[in-house]
Amino acid sequence: MARYLGKRIFYLVLTLFIVTTLTFFLMKLMPGTPLTNQEKLSPSQIHLIYKQYGLDKPVWLQYIEYLINATHGDFGTSFQFSDQPVSYLISSRIGASIQLGVQAMVLGVIVGIVIGAFGAVKRNTWMDSATTIISILGISIPSFVLAVVLQYFIGLKLGWFPIADWGGFSYTVLPTLALAMAPLAESARFVRTEMVDVLSSDYIELARAKGMSKTGVIYHHALRNSLIPLVTIIGPVAVNIMTGSMVIENIFSIPGIGNQFVQSVLTNDYPTIMGLTIVYCFMLTVVLLLTDIVYGIIDPRIRITENRG
Amino acid sequence: MKIKQIGATVVVAAASVLLLAACGSTKDSDSGSSSKGNLATNQTVNWMESSQLPSMDSSKATDQISFNMMNNTNEGLYRLGKDNKVEAGMATKTTTSKDGKTWTFTLRKGAKWSNGAEVTANDFVYGWRRTVNPKTAGQYSYIYSGIKNADAIVDGKKAVNSLGVKADGKYKLVVTLEKNIPYFKLLMGFVPFFPQNQQFVEKEGKTYGTKASAVLYNGPYTLKGWTGTNDSWSLVKNNKYWDKKNVTLKKLNDQVVADSNTALNQFQSGKLDAATLTGQQVKNMLSNKSMKVRPMARLAYLEFNQKDKKVGKAFQNKKIRQAISYALQRKQMVKNVLADGSIAAPGFVTKDLAKNPKTGADFTKDADSDGVGISYDKAKAQKLMKEGLKEVGLKKLTFTLMADNTPQEKNAAEYIQSQIQKVLPQVKVENLNLPYKTRLQRSAAGNFQAVITLWGADYSDPSTDLNIMTKDNPQNNGSWTNKAFNNYMDKANDASADQTQQRWDNMVKAEKELMKDQGVVPLFQTSQPQMMNSKVKGIIYNTAGTPFNFKNMYVAK
């Protein structure tokens, strides 16, 4: 296990390095400058400002300097927010994003499991069709459309929850719902398929033959076994939530990093773009690492093949 | 707004009246203090911004949100009031030397910073030097151009302390100019010229201006609750402000709402007293009584590259330029195509920017000569194009129209393409939409045939627009030159302080010449459509520089 873990962590660092490098050079290819007043400045003024920010150096040198500073946790200062360290910009806003992401993930996956299991048990009834419709809708309706609908009807017309803004649990309800829909649909579909398989397998028949109650069989044998493969979709679901949050944060005025990321790209705020890319990449690789570890723990076959290989 | 177009349909006229009503109502906001009999008990306003507050450092900020916040929490030598009229600020008396090159400001005694320190002449000297210092890397330092040695300091060629500003004791500030700047007073109310307390700035060091507690305030309000990266903060009445008796509002809560649909929902639920709208929403809400269309000093215009190898020769022909202008129905474009509150271009200088010093008439009114250069006339367009093409020996004209890839500019470019091709069958237009920064680079490098340019005025004087079109100005991307125009502008720029009327007349003549020769084709003036709670009064809005002055704001019963 230790060797397996070591290998995975090495890949994590390698991935981070490659993403950082690619982003850095791609970003430098972006047209334009981080200056907001570009059209009104003389070339010599632009040059002096560049010098102040270290942008007059060759790109490879900027890259090496960036890497050295980044390994010390120094992501530089933002261009858009004068004198604001990027690390502070991110650390002060990441909390809201993580809270929202985790809430959406937990809600989506749990409700998804319940709906999926329900559909499988009541297979080929109208209830099964209903769960299928829910998951199809959940996958095909983009989260930002759902967000606008929720905001208008539940927030404005019914007034049950705040329309937007941040400040307490009630403010997180609508954005969490909007963001949870995709993971909900994804896991419901997945669990249903798995469970239909499991329910028709021999050991379920055996358990029933032994005289176990139906609910007991479903809970102890069928559901548990169908959940193992669910771990594999946690990675894609996490990606879904991270990308979705960029739009959702905008719509619900949530002070998170998704919002900030879009803004920094639009303003050529190089240090912020870099910092946020690294953070997103780190979060995603860590989620993938964790799912791998969890998978190894709950499914011994993975561990064994790894050790043999 | 003047309805110049004779052939305007009833629909267009009706829409214009509507717009007129909307524009007119922005001015009903009377200046607070007069009508305080019917004040609401809760003097709190919930305001919004469409993006974050990036900086509270007057040497470094470049965006309107930062400028708005600093304009309301700090104060320069003057404060800009309604119609950009100069009102009393830190200066109580101003004298100018005969040649207009030396200005002496006497400062208010007893004006205090929020930490209790006195605001002195040295705070101005320090703040100004810090802004022009290349080490500060401020992007608004160019606006100091004209103050002695400013350009050289900004370019790193002279020492910072050679700037033409010095303190004569605690209460006297002496400014030396290289040349006469007729709009100098306006600049003195602009954020980049605000004072800074040296001791405080140096103590804060790198953190200065990055959070509410790392700034000193000498204006009507103080900033509270801004951590530098968060999305909500508030302005609270400043009890140390010298004119606090004229500040009625207790608190303004400000919140970032990036999505304008959300803003509208928040407004309709009563959570916000103001909401900035965009695009299609505006069309839907235009007839709503809460809607205020605030025109901005920002003009979209068509520039022709007269140095282009392929079509430059055609664009040098005045008749061809005029034909293109006459082919465009601007009122139809803003109403049906853009539908975002923009108004048809009133000329090259925007509406509500500057007023005649004597008569008080808007510049666009004085400079209008029966809609020359901005009106639609199909027959004239066709005739001029035929003659123009003949003169340059062409049968057909094909050119690429470059524009930003924002919805507004894209829609405008598509309209122009279809309209020109409909009215002028010999002309073919190809559209090229690019990201803003790429477009800007190509414009500056002269790498285009025709382009839709957007220009925002820095201060409320027509010269901020007209100077772009002078010979060799770096923003004159199309290289249009006209002797008479340059002549009028030279005269206007050299006018001394007491020649304001002659200067105005020269600028009016320059604008007329620009339109007559169709140096550029003005398209539309952008606006900021806003839903406003009718109980919130006393807001001063200016089209150029810093938009909002909340000093006299209050909530009526």
Side-chain angles (χ1 to χ4, degrees):
Chain A
M1 191 71 187
R3 213 181 122 212
Y4 171 67
L5 206 63
K7 207 165 150 190
R8 298 301 311 201
I9 289 173
F10 170 73
Y11 282 134
L12 187 149
V13 175
L14 188 70
T15 313
L16 269 180
F17 173 74
I18 293 172
V19 169
T20 309
T21 310
L22 273 179
T23 315
F24 191 89
F25 289 103
L26 281 175
M27 188 183 70
K28 289 288 171 188
L29 289 177
M30 272 193 340
T33 67
L35 305 174
T36 24
N37 265 348
Q38 194 185 345
E39 73 258 44
K40 293 176 180 173
L41 298 172
S42 73
S44 60
Q45 279 169 301
I46 292 179
H47 178 76
L48 280 171
I49 292 171
Y50 269 30
K51 209 170 154 184
Q52 212 56 40
Y53 285 123
L55 290 172
D56 57 332
K57 293 175 192 162
V59 175
W60 63 268
L61 190 65
Q62 289 181 41
Y63 171 67
I64 289 173
E65 282 181 356
Y66 185 83
L67 274 192
I68 293 171
N69 290 335
T71 47
H72 294 91
D74 175 10
F75 295 120
T77 38
S78 164
F79 290 159
Q80 195 201 350
F81 296 78
S82 51
D83 289 331
Q84 208 68 262
V86 171
S87 50
Y88 174 65
L89 207 62
I90 296 173
S91 64
S92 66
R93 293 179 73 94
I94 201 170
S97 295
I98 289 182
Q99 186 189 342
L100 195 63
V102 169
Q103 274 181 211
M105 176 88 111
V106 170
L107 178 79
V109 171
I110 290 179
V111 176
I113 291 171
V114 172
I115 289 181
F118 199 71
V121 173
K122 306 272 178 194
R123 190 148 55 115
N124 298 333
T125 65
W126 66 270
M127 281 184 274
D128 183 24
S129 313
T131 61
T132 313
I133 289 171
I134 290 178
S135 37
I136 290 174
L137 284 180
I139 285 171
S140 46
I141 296 178
S143 58
F144 57 87
V145 173
L146 185 65
V148 171
V149 171
L150 287 173
Q151 186 180 63
Y152 186 75
F153 288 103
I154 300 184
L156 182 64
K157 291 287 155 194
L158 297 172
W160 290 353
F161 295 104
I163 293 168
D165 212 353
W166 193 250
F169 181 72
S170 65
Y171 288 85
T172 67
V173 174
L174 294 185
T176 304
L177 281 178
L179 209 49
M181 203 55 197
L184 183 151
E186 191 82 36
S187 45
R189 227 170 40 143
F190 204 84
V191 167
R192 184 187 171 277
T193 322
E194 276 300 318
M195 199 138 150
V196 166
D197 261 6
V198 171
L199 280 176
S200 57
S201 62
D202 295 344
Y203 61 87
I204 299 289
E205 302 270 327
L206 180 71
R208 287 289 284 152
K210 279 195 304 189
M212 257 181 100
S213 71
K214 198 177 174 190
T215 39
V217 172
I218 290 168
Y219 181 71
H220 284 288
H221 299 285
L223 189 58
R224 281 196 170 187
N225 280 315
S226 352
L227 288 189
I228 295 175
L230 188 66
V231 176
T232 52
I233 67 161
I234 295 292
V237 163
V239 174
N240 214 319
I241 285 181
M242 282 182 202
T243 49
S245 72
M246 292 182 195
V247 188
I248 297 296
E249 285 181 10
N250 217 23
I251 293 176
F252 288 101
S253 309
I254 291 161
I257 54 172
N259 211 322
Q260 192 87 70
F261 194 43
V262 178
Q263 203 56 40
S264 64
V265 173
L266 291 178
T267 53
N268 282 35
D269 189 349
Y270 299 140
T272 312
I273 299 174
M274 285 307 296
L276 283 168
T277 308
I278 292 174
V279 165
Y280 271 116
C281 180
F282 181 75
M283 289 198 297
L284 186 61
T285 43
V286 165
V287 168
L288 291 179
L289 176 71
L290 286 179
T291 51
D292 276 348
I293 293 170
V294 170
Y295 211 63
I297 293 169
I298 55 177
D299 193 340
R301 283 171 298 184
I302 305 277
R303 234 170 16 223
I304 291 161
T305 17
E306 268 298 324
N307 285 341
R308 276 183 195 150
Chain B
M1 186 197 270
K2 204 170 143 185
I3 304 165
K4 298 168 199 117
Q5 206 173 306
I6 302 158
T9 61
V10 179
V11 184
V12 172
S16 313
V17 169
L18 216 139
L19 259 176
L20 238 167
C23 301
S25 48
T26 56
K27 281 179 204 149
D28 66 2
S29 19
D30 46 335
S31 55
S33 46
S34 53
S35 53
K36 277 185 184 158
N38 90 79
L39 288 180
T41 37
N42 185 9
Q43 287 296 323
T44 307
V45 167
N46 294 309
W47 195 259
M48 63 148 274
E49 309 291 348
S50 44
S51 65
Q52 287 166 265
L53 169 57
S55 176
M56 281 296 283
D57 184 341
S58 55
S59 293
K60 291 180 180 172
T62 51
D63 64 292
Q64 295 217 318
I65 295 168
S66 300
F67 281 168
N68 273 340
M69 289 305 122
M70 281 188 270
N71 193 39
N72 289 300
T73 57
N74 282 294
E75 197 164 271
L77 293 167
Y78 300 120
R79 173 162 285 276
L80 296 182
K82 200 178 151 192
D83 292 334
N84 269 311
K85 260 205 198 96
V86 170
E87 288 175 2
M90 290 295 112
T92 52
K93 203 181 126 207
T94 310
T95 50
T96 323
S97 69
K98 270 230 170 96
D99 61 355
K101 287 184 184 164
T102 308
W103 290 66
T104 309
F105 300 94
T106 309
L107 300 194
R108 185 178 300 282
K109 278 181 190 156
K112 293 249 159 66
W113 288 105
S114 47
N115 69 351
E118 207 176 359
V119 181
T120 65
N122 190 53
D123 295 338
F124 283 91
V125 176
Y126 176 73
W128 290 21
R129 283 183 181 167
R130 187 165 168 270
T131 305
V132 292
N133 192 336
K135 284 210 174 98
T136 311
Q139 293 179 45
Y140 253 97
S141 49
Y142 71 86
I143 207 155
Y144 275 68
S145 178
I147 296 177
K148 199 179 152 204
N149 293 335
D151 288 335
I153 297 167
V154 168
D155 278 351
K157 285 176 193 129
K158 272 199 171 147
V160 172
N161 55 19
S162 67
L163 185 71
V165 57
K166 65 175 198 284
D168 182 5
K170 264 169 101 175
Y171 305 108
K172 217 164 232 152
L173 186 74
V174 184
V175 183
T176 324
L177 308 182
E178 276 166 3
K179 54 170 196 211
N180 177 36
I181 307 176
Y183 49 85
F184 190 63
K185 271 195 173 181
L186 283 176
L187 290 184
M188 294 303 100
F190 194 34
V191 174
F193 292 93
F194 281 7
Q196 291 169 13
N197 182 296
Q198 178 168 8
Q199 210 187 355
F200 186 82
V201 176
E202 280 170 1
K203 192 190 92 202
E204 288 293 334
K206 271 248 149 207
T207 59
Y208 178 71
T210 61
K211 54 179 187 250
S213 61
V215 195
L216 283 187
Y217 308 98
N218 70 330
Y221 303 93
T222 59
L223 186 68
K224 289 261 154 70
W226 180 60
T227 64
T229 60
N230 61 343
D231 287 359
S232 58
W233 56 85
S234 51
L235 297 180
V236 180
K237 184 177 173 178
N238 181 3
N239 283 321
K240 291 205 171 78
Y241 181 53
W242 67 271
D243 197 20
K244 67 176 175 194
K245 67 174 196 303
N246 282 320
V247 180
T248 312
L249 195 73
K250 291 244 156 61
K251 197 176 181 191
L252 179 134
N253 295 315
D254 207 356
Q255 187 197 333
V256 179
V257 184
D259 186 282
S260 61
N261 270 316
T262 307
L264 184 58
N265 287 342
Q266 295 266 58
F267 177 81
Q268 284 172 337
S269 75
K271 286 260 160 58
L272 289 177
D273 293 314
T276 308
L277 304 188
T278 54
Q280 197 62 32
Q281 280 181 310
V282 182
K283 198 177 186 177
N284 301 338
M285 301 310 277
L286 214 50
S287 52
N288 192 298
K289 66 177 183 354
S290 304
M291 178 70 151
K292 285 209 191 294
V293 179
R294 302 187 190 277
M296 298 198 285
R298 203 155 162 270
L299 187 83
Y301 59 96
L302 201 57
E303 263 184 298
F304 304 110
N305 190 352
Q306 304 202 356
K307 286 193 174 155
D308 185 77
K309 282 198 187 93
K310 278 189 191 139
V311 291
K313 221 180 108 205
F315 286 152
Q316 282 167 20
N317 185 291
K318 179 178 157 186
K319 285 180 179 164
I320 291 180
R321 298 196 300 266
Q322 281 176 323
I324 290 172
S325 179
Y326 275 124
L328 302 175
Q329 269 184 297
R330 291 165 182 78
K331 278 174 189 156
Q332 192 192 52
M333 173 171 71
V334 295
K335 185 184 164 264
N336 298 330
V337 183
L338 302 178
D340 58 358
S342 296
I343 54 180
F348 188 63
V349 172
T350 50
K351 176 178 168 281
D352 283 354
L353 179 78
K355 303 256 184 283
N356 186 322
K358 208 188 271 163
T359 65
D362 197 78
F363 185 86
T364 53
K365 268 210 176 114
D366 280 4
D368 174 45
S369 38
D370 293 324
V372 165
I374 45 168
S375 51
Y376 168 68
D377 191 328
K378 194 175 168 184
K380 257 190 196 166
Q382 288 172 335
K383 183 172 164 269
L384 285 165
M385 185 51 83
K386 220 185 213 169
E387 292 172 8
L389 285 177
K390 209 173 170 189
E391 282 175 24
V392 293
L394 286 172
K395 286 228 162 60
K396 275 186 181 144
L397 174 65
T398 304
F399 67 89
T400 307
L401 172 60
M402 183 166 81
D404 291 337
N405 63 356
T406 56
Q408 189 187 50
E409 271 52 59
K410 251 178 157 162
N411 288 341
E414 276 162 21
Y415 168 79
I416 293 167
Q417 179 191 39
S418 74
Q419 185 69 14
I420 289 180
Q421 294 183 167
K422 202 170 80 191
V423 177
L424 308 166
Q426 315 94 312
V427 184
K428 200 170 165 254
V429 182
E430 279 154 9
N431 281 3
L432 174 67
N433 294 104
L434 297 169
Y436 167 68
K437 298 212 168 188
T438 317
R439 195 271 295 163
L440 210 59
Q441 248 171 8
R442 289 188 59 166
S443 284
N447 182 11
F448 68 96
Q449 297 183 328
V451 62
I452 299 180
T453 305
L454 276 161
W455 178 262
D458 279 326
Y459 41 87
S460 299
D461 187 87
S463 65
T464 185
D465 294 329
L466 291 168
N467 274 334
I468 307 172
M469 297 313 296
T470 52
K471 195 175 178 257
D472 297 331
N473 187 294
Q475 269 84 42
N476 186 353
N477 300 317
S479 310
W480 171 83
T481 50
N482 176 304
K483 246 192 185 153
F485 177 85
N486 288 330
N487 205 2
Y488 290 133
M489 284 318 291
D490 284 346
K491 274 190 203 157
N493 290 331
D494 289 338
S496 67
D498 53 358
Q499 293 175 312
T500 48
Q501 199 59 40
Q502 285 106 304
R503 181 170 176 272
W504 179 269
D505 294 340
N506 275 316
M507 290 193 293
V508 167
K509 282 179 194 156
E511 161 91 15
K512 282 186 173 171
E513 188 61 38
L514 175 61
M515 287 299 101
K516 212 175 81 191
D517 198 43
Q518 205 76 63
V520 292
V521 175
L523 299 170
F524 57 91
Q525 179 177 353
T526 63
S527 72
Q528 189 183 36
Q530 197 179 30
M531 299 294 281
M532 275 295 307
N533 180 345
S534 57
K535 286 188 177 131
V536 177
K537 296 195 187 295
I539 296 175
I540 294 169
Y541 171 81
N542 283 312
T543 63
T546 312
F548 289 107
N549 176 352
F550 296 144
K551 182 178 167 182
N552 300 325
M553 195 179 192
Y554 65 95
V555 187
K557 233 181 243 165

